[in-house]
Amino acid sequence: MLKLLLSLYVAVFTSIVIINQVSEAIWTHWVHSAPDELRHAKTIAHTLKSSISPNSLPKESDTIKILDMDDVAWLPEQASTLKQGGILTSFDDTGSAWLTFKIPESTLLLQLGPLAPATSATNKQWLIKLLSYAVLAFLLMLWIRPLWLDLLQLRYITECLAQGQVPKTTRRSRFSAISNLTEQIYHLASQVARLIDNQKLLVNAVSHDLRTPLARLKFALAMLPENSREQGNDMADDVLEMEAMIDEMLAYARLEFEVKKLELIPLSLNELVQDQISKLSKLTDKQVSFQGSCDEIILLANPHYLSRAIQNIVQNADKYGNSAIMIRTESDKKYAYIQVEDDGNGIPKSQWESVFVPFSRLDASRSKGGGGYGLGLAIVRKIATWHKGSCHVGCSTELGGAKFTFILPLAHRTSSYSGTNAKLE
């Protein structure tokens, strides 16, 4: 950071010095050296004033006039200038200039004119300013360009990392102030990408390789004699639990690959939720209430994974609720909201984020004994992120338990849906 600030300071300081010197040179040789009749006449007036006397006055003409100082009503400042021997510049109605000075040792005045006034240098002044700003911007662009190229490299590295790919070798700029940072981030991103690949391979390999010994174990348990059947049934339950956990791990690991080929189509949210409620009503004895939006809510989503996310939230409410589940859909101008509430014990505020961490189980009521492996809500959040949405948990104000809110962006919103509220017993 110090290198970046110092290089910027040196670039700006050097640019300003160069621009000032060049601007002064241009102003001196282009503006002040330009032909100027009035300035030239002032030089002649000074020479003439030093060589003239009352006895050697020039003859009057169209350009030279001799008059008495008392014949003109001079302003006090003008009279003071003339008495002190200065050269007075005045202008007539046509804009022409007259040079007036007092002849030494007399009250006579000598006027030279009319002289064309000096042309305005305003346009030249603005032109020089614009050129100066343009040069400053160009010099700063030369300083920024290597920095910009390195920033593009950083964007490329992060895009590769987001896709789980190892970024290709980057080209550092020798003149960039963050070239070392770019190189360090490149090595870091490469290492992270390799770790992600290794993690995926490890999970898949372990999950698949465990299936073979589990299948042998199930076969061995099925061949146990009748007197060991009770103990064998307990062991068989453990095997089934392990299989379910492996399936959950495989599903979670597979999500990392599926995001690259995710296909999104327009979906009706109310129909999708009602389909999950219909499935749940066949498996639970809890009271399930559904409050659907009066307007049809259309999402651009993947039906398989969005159904999986809604199913996980609803099953979570069924698992930890006591007797009632409330499901609600609504939307605003930009987003659709799926709210699932239960009347269970709820989740402490300090653990609201922990429930979305893979393999996280909060306490005995939300443990493996309840059938959970800590991956269901992690899958929900990952699917929400794929759809550029979010999922968070809070407290239910109506039922007193947990309240999960699933937020997704809308594709469009119409008013053709006729469904209102539905209640499943």
Side-chain angles (χ1 to χ4, degrees):
M1 185 60 68
L2 181 61
K3 179 182 177 182
L4 180 64
L5 293 176
L6 289 177
S7 63
L8 177 60
Y9 174 80
V10 171
V12 174
F13 179 80
T14 305
S15 301
I16 292 176
V17 170
I18 293 174
I19 289 172
N20 282 339
Q21 295 299 321
V22 174
S23 299
E24 289 181 4
I26 293 175
W27 184 264
T28 301
H29 293 86
W30 183 34
V31 179
H32 283 289
S33 63
D36 189 344
E37 185 178 357
L38 181 59
R39 187 169 65 246
H40 182 64
K42 284 183 179 180
T43 304
I44 296 176
H46 280 287
T47 304
L48 186 60
K49 177 189 169 191
S50 61
S51 62
I52 199 172
S53 65
N55 297 326
S56 58
L57 296 175
K59 293 181 179 180
E60 289 190 271
S61 63
D62 293 337
T63 59
I64 298 177
K65 292 184 180 180
I66 300 175
L67 61 155
D68 194 278
M69 187 171 180
D70 297 332
D71 293 341
V72 181
W74 301 103
L75 295 174
E77 297 82 0
Q78 295 175 327
S80 175
T81 300
L82 293 172
K83 289 178 180 179
Q84 292 176 4
I87 297 177
L88 180 66
T89 303
S90 59
F91 297 89
D92 57 19
D93 295 338
T94 63
S96 298
W98 291 84
L99 299 180
T100 305
F101 61 88
K102 184 174 174 293
I103 297 173
E105 300 178 357
S106 71
T107 60
L108 298 177
L109 301 176
L110 187 66
Q111 277 191 333
L112 302 178
L115 303 168
T119 57
S120 175
T122 303
N123 294 336
K124 296 179 180 179
Q125 182 181 8
W126 278 106
L127 181 59
I128 292 176
K129 286 184 178 180
L130 291 176
L131 289 175
S132 301
Y133 296 149
V135 172
L136 177 61
F138 176 74
L139 294 177
L140 289 179
M141 185 184 67
L142 293 180
W143 179 85
I144 291 175
R145 185 177 182 276
L147 183 65
W148 175 253
L149 293 177
D150 274 355
L151 291 176
L152 291 178
Q153 292 290 334
L154 289 178
R155 186 178 71 175
Y156 163 73
I157 292 172
T158 55
E159 288 176 351
C160 290
L161 187 59
Q163 298 174 1
Q165 301 175 356
V166 179
K168 298 179 181 179
T169 304
T170 58
R171 294 186 302 171
R172 292 193 305 163
S173 174
R174 295 181 301 168
F175 305 101
S176 173
I178 63 170
S179 56
N180 292 333
L181 177 62
T182 305
E183 187 70 16
Q184 292 174 1
I185 292 180
Y186 165 73
H187 290 303
L188 177 62
S190 300
Q191 184 177 3
V192 170
R194 286 193 294 270
L195 289 174
I196 292 175
D197 288 339
N198 292 337
Q199 182 263 342
K200 294 176 183 177
L201 293 174
L202 177 62
V203 171
N204 287 332
V206 171
S207 299
H208 282 95
D209 291 344
L210 280 176
R211 289 184 179 277
T212 301
L214 283 176
R216 291 199 300 264
L217 184 57
K218 288 173 65 177
F219 178 76
L221 290 173
M223 299 300 294
L224 287 175
E226 289 294 334
N227 56 359
S228 303
R229 180 64 59 188
E230 182 177 354
Q231 184 179 4
N233 290 337
D234 294 337
M235 296 175 65
D237 291 340
D238 291 336
V239 171
L240 292 176
E241 185 177 332
M242 291 179 64
E243 282 188 323
M245 181 182 293
I246 291 173
D247 290 337
E248 199 77 1
M249 291 176 61
L250 278 174
Y252 186 76
R254 196 178 297 116
L255 294 179
E256 300 292 341
F257 301 96
E258 295 296 328
V259 66
K260 300 178 183 179
K261 52 182 180 180
L262 190 66
E263 296 182 0
L264 306 179
I265 62 173
L267 298 173
S268 173
L269 178 61
N270 286 324
E271 293 181 3
L272 206 63
V273 173
Q274 286 180 328
D275 180 60
Q276 293 301 321
I277 293 176
S278 177
K279 295 178 180 178
L280 177 65
S281 63
K282 301 175 182 178
L283 303 174
T284 184
D285 57 353
K286 297 181 177 64
Q287 179 181 356
V288 182
S289 300
F290 174 56
Q291 296 180 358
S293 171
C294 295
D295 296 333
E296 186 178 15
I297 302 175
I298 302 299
L299 303 175
L300 196 63
N302 182 279
H304 172 71
Y305 287 108
L306 186 55
S307 297
R308 175 68 181 273
I310 297 174
Q311 180 184 33
N312 285 6
I313 297 177
V314 172
Q315 288 180 349
N316 185 81
D318 178 44
K319 186 184 304 178
Y320 301 112
N322 294 324
S323 60
I325 300 173
M326 170 72 74
I327 302 174
R328 182 185 298 109
T329 60
E330 56 187 24
S331 64
D332 54 23
K333 294 182 178 180
K334 293 184 179 180
Y335 297 98
Y337 304 89
I338 309 170
Q339 298 175 351
V340 180
E341 306 177 30
D342 61 60
D343 61 347
N345 297 328
I347 301 174
K349 187 175 181 179
S350 59
Q351 297 178 327
W352 283 358
E353 284 299 315
S354 301
V355 297
F356 297 103
V357 177
F359 304 104
S360 171
R361 289 186 292 270
L362 303 183
D363 52 30
S365 64
R366 292 179 179 265
S367 63
K368 183 178 67 174
Y373 304 103
L375 289 174
L377 295 178
I379 292 174
V380 170
R381 173 160 284 187
K382 186 174 289 291
I383 294 174
T385 303
W386 286 356
H387 292 82
K388 303 191 182 302
S390 62
C391 183
H392 57 267
V393 63
C395 294
S396 172
T397 57
E398 295 186 24
L399 301 182
K403 175 182 178 180
F404 285 86
T405 303
F406 196 77
I407 305 174
L408 295 167
L410 289 175
H412 65 273
R413 189 169 183 258
T414 63
S415 300
S416 59
Y417 184 66
S418 59
T420 53
N421 294 338
K423 196 171 196 178
L424 301 176
E425 299 293 318

